[in-house]
């Protein structure tokens, strides 16, 4: 089972221009966990039948909130859409001598940083307007969770300031978020959607949240 097995409930997913205020973050209820029977085992005796590795993996995945899984899938689909568009541009091939792979997990750390810089600056909503700063964090967080949790690359920390492998990308993301904030993107609060701890930390670090805003 992987992220593709879950149908996205777009009606419950945050729209592109929704921004979460600090006061709203404090009122967010605990996210609902996936309501599904993850593993079925024989319980006739004191002990069940031997558990399979696939069952253990399913149990682990079922502990992840459905909104988080939807966010991961949305971010991954956005990456794939951007790759398809970027590979249609002649300059893409000349930048690295090859096209960008659709599977982000096939990129090594150097390639990942190189293309993520361009991805985060070039992506737009379907109406061609900019994503607000907090949405950029959610997109990158979704990709980070996919790479780390689904692909088992535990040494990839895209959003950590102390990971020198992605320090240039961190500066690009920081500058882009500040630019969008100065232009007024994401300053209109519409509704409240859950913010994960790692996303909130980045928003504090990048100035999206502050004691005065």
């Amino acid at each position: 089972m992987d992220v593709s097995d879950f149908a996205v409930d777009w009606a419950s997913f945050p729209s592109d221009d929704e921004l979460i205020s600090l006061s709203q973050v404090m009122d967010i209820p605990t996210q609902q966990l996936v309501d599904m029977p993850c593993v079925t085992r024989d319980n006739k005796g004191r002990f069940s039948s031997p558990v399979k590795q696939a069952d253990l993996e399913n149990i682990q995945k079922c502990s992840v909130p459905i909104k988080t899984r939807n966010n991961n899938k949305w971010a991954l689909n956005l990456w794939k859409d951007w790759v398809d568009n970027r590979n249609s541009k002649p300059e893409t091939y000349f930048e690295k001598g090859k096209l960008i792979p659709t599977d982000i997990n096939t990129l090594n750390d150097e390639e990942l940083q190189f293309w993520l810089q361009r991805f985060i600056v070039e992506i737009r909503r379907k109406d061609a307007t900019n994503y607000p700063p907090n949405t950029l964090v959610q997109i990158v967080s979704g990709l980070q969770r996919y790479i780390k949790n689904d692909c088992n690359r535990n040494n990839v920390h895209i959003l950590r300031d102390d990971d020198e492998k992605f320090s240039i990308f961190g500066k690009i993301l920081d500058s882009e978020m500040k630019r969008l904030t100065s232009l007024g993107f994401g300053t209109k609060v519409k509704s409240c959607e859950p913010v994960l701890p790692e996303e909130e930390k980045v928003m504090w670090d990048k100035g999206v949240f502050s004691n005065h805003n």
Side-chain angles (χ1 to χ4, degrees), residues 83-205:
V83 168
D84 288 342
N85 178 268
R86 195 55 152 77
N87 282 342
S88 68
K89 314 288 185 183
E91 53 264 45
T92 299
Y93 180 84
F94 293 106
E95 284 181 301
K96 278 291 184 180
K98 59 182 179 180
L99 297 178
I100 312 168
T102 302
D103 184 0
I104 193 172
N105 186 45
T106 62
L107 296 172
N108 61 37
D109 291 348
E110 186 275 330
E111 293 171 330
L112 187 58
Q113 172 166 244
F114 181 89
W115 290 118
L116 278 176
Q117 295 173 53
R118 288 146 180 81
F119 168 77
I120 206 64
V121 173
E122 296 175 6
I123 55 175
R124 298 291 185 273
R125 301 190 303 182
K126 290 184 178 180
D127 63 1
T129 58
N130 287 280
Y131 284 107
N134 73 313
T135 304
L136 295 184
V137 174
Q138 291 173 346
I139 292 169
V140 178
S141 296
L143 295 177
Q144 167 72 76
R145 287 189 295 270
Y146 169 75
I147 293 171
K148 183 177 181 180
N149 300 332
D150 291 72
C151 303
N152 297 316
R153 291 175 64 177
N154 295 318
N155 62 336
V156 174
H157 306 288
I158 301 172
L159 290 171
R160 276 177 50 174
D161 294 333
D162 59 350
D163 192 334
E164 294 185 359
K165 298 191 301 293
F166 300 98
S167 59
I168 298 177
F169 169 73
K171 293 176 182 178
I172 295 293
L173 175 61
D174 182 60
S175 297
E176 185 65 4
M177 291 174 66
K178 289 178 179 177
R179 183 185 73 85
L180 294 171
T181 300
S182 69
L183 294 175
F185 288 98
T187 58
K188 184 178 180 180
V189 178
K190 280 195 171 184
S191 63
C192 174
E193 288 291 340
V195 175
L196 297 176
E198 67 267 24
E199 296 171 354
E200 181 184 351
K201 181 181 184 303
V202 173
M203 292 179 192
W204 277 104
D205 293 342

Side-chain angles (χ1 to χ4, degrees), residues 17-46:
D17 58 348
E18 289 176 336
L19 179 65
I20 304 133
S21 68
L22 177 59
S23 61
Q24 288 174 314
V25 170
M26 303 306 177
D27 296 329
I28 294 174
T30 301
Q31 289 175 295
Q32 182 180 0
L33 296 180
V34 179
D35 183 16
M36 62 177 291
C38 296
V39 180
T40 302
R41 295 189 295 275
D42 180 13
N43 294 319
K44 293 180 180 180
R46 179 184 177 185

